[in-house]
Amino acid sequence: MKTGVHMYQRMTCRDIYAYWDALRGEAASPMRSQIEPAAIRMALPDLFMLESTEEGDLSFRLVGTRMCALFGRELRGHSFNDLWAGGPNSNPVDIAQGVIAHESPVLMNLLGFFHDGETSRFEMLLLPIRSAEGLCDRLMGALVLEPGEPNLLTAQTLRYLYLERSRPLKGARPAAATGTPRNQSAAL
């Protein structure tokens, strides 16, 4: 059984987006080296970093502790696809790959299904990030409860997420032409 108790203050997707937007300045997306964990320490438990793999998948490079606790397991090294329910709206991996390819941030509204049958509404923010080579080959994301949802204290873990809707965020800037496709890493 879930209990709604406000035990801690979380950074919202709006706060995380504002930080990311300030970092990128006039660029379509910031460099990974610009991200200062201390500046977003309140959000770290909810953040994750995805990177493109040679196989064309997205895998978790870093995952916050609260997100791992929600799923009841370590997610680092696992595929982003492992979080999602199937069905007609089951294209969150395609959306995430589009965030990288087009360097355009997206906000998704999700329904989380717990093992006990309970559900909660979440927001997932996906923000493109450039690597040291200047190529957009990863993204920073956040999984947070939607505003108005009580903070969770639960022994139950999430089985999967279901995408209800997604939308590009206002203020997205097109990536500058570099002569190299943005979603290809140097390893490919």
Side-chain angles (χ1 to χ4, degrees), residues 129-148:
I129 302 292
R130 290 179 289 136
S131 66
E133 296 82 25
L135 302 173
C136 186
D137 61 356
R138 58 192 71 198
L139 61 80
M140 180 172 74
L143 178 66
V144 298
L145 287 166
E146 277 194 1

Side-chain angles (χ1 to χ4, degrees), residues 32-187:
R32 190 188 67 74
S33 61
Q34 291 177 271
I35 298 170
E36 290 292 332
I40 51 175
R41 67 182 175 277
M42 295 297 289
L44 291 177
D46 301 311
L47 294 181
F48 58 90
M49 187 79 68
L50 294 174
E51 66 182 350
S52 299
T53 66
E54 290 182 18
E55 297 80 29
D57 193 14
L58 294 172
S59 68
F60 287 101
R61 182 169 175 83
L62 299 169
V63 187
T65 55
R66 192 168 16 244
M67 190 167 163
C68 287
L70 272 171
F71 283 94
R73 66 185 192 270
E74 174 61 56
L75 296 170
R76 187 174 186 214
H78 290 267
S79 173
F80 184 59
N81 194 47
D82 294 347
L83 304 185
W84 305 96
N89 290 329
S90 144
N91 61 353
V93 174
D94 293 338
I95 292 169
Q97 289 171 333
V99 167
I100 291 171
H102 302 290
E103 291 188 66
S104 182
V106 167
L107 181 67
M108 298 191 298
N109 297 98
L110 313 172
L111 190 58
F113 290 85
F114 289 85
H115 284 277
D116 66 359
E118 295 282 327
T119 60
S120 286
R121 296 193 179 286
F122 292 88
E123 288 182 336
M124 183 177 280
L125 181 64
L126 301 176
L127 303 167
I129 302 292
R130 290 179 289 136
S131 66
E133 296 82 25
L135 302 173
C136 186
D137 61 356
R138 58 192 71 198
L139 61 80
M140 180 172 74
L143 178 66
V144 298
L145 287 166
E146 277 194 1
E149 285 282 314
N151 286 341
L152 302 174
L153 291 176
T154 180
Q156 291 295 318
T157 57
L158 281 171
R159 282 182 61 202
Y160 55 82
L161 297 169
Y162 180 80
L163 175 64
E164 291 188 315
R165 74 179 195 150
S166 68
R167 61 196 174 281
L169 295 176
K170 292 181 182 176
R173 297 180 189 101
T178 61
T180 305
R182 290 179 301 277
N183 62 346
Q184 291 183 0
S185 68

